[in-house]
Amino acid sequence: MIRDLPPLPSPRYAVVHIGCSSEVPAEIAADLRQIGVPAGLIGYEYQPLTETVLLGGDR
């Protein structure tokens, strides 16, 4: 039997604001400065760089 469950709380995490090189499109750079990126996730699988890095490839 499926019951209505109470909503789960939103996850909480620390956010860091990173610098952007001039190669990063202005709109993305503004979002990264304003919104930021997670400081890390469970364990150490993900850790942000101190500055954005533009990867080559198709956009």
Side-chain angles (χ1 to χ4, degrees), residues 26-49:
E27 183 178 346
I28 294 171
D31 285 345
L32 290 172
R33 282 192 299 271
Q34 182 180 10
I35 299 169
V37 296
L41 298 176
I42 297 171
Y44 293 98
E45 295 85 17
Y46 163 82
Q47 292 183 352
L49 300 174

Side-chain angles (χ1 to χ4, degrees), residues 9-54:
S10 297
R12 294 177 183 230
Y13 50 87
V15 173
V16 294
H17 302 275
I18 59 176
C20 297
S21 69
S22 60
E23 297 175 330
V24 177
E27 183 178 346
I28 294 171
D31 285 345
L32 290 172
R33 282 192 299 271
Q34 182 180 10
I35 299 169
V37 296
L41 298 176
I42 297 171
Y44 293 98
E45 295 85 17
Y46 163 82
Q47 292 183 352
L49 300 174
T50 56
E51 186 170 309
T52 57
V53 175
L54 186 63

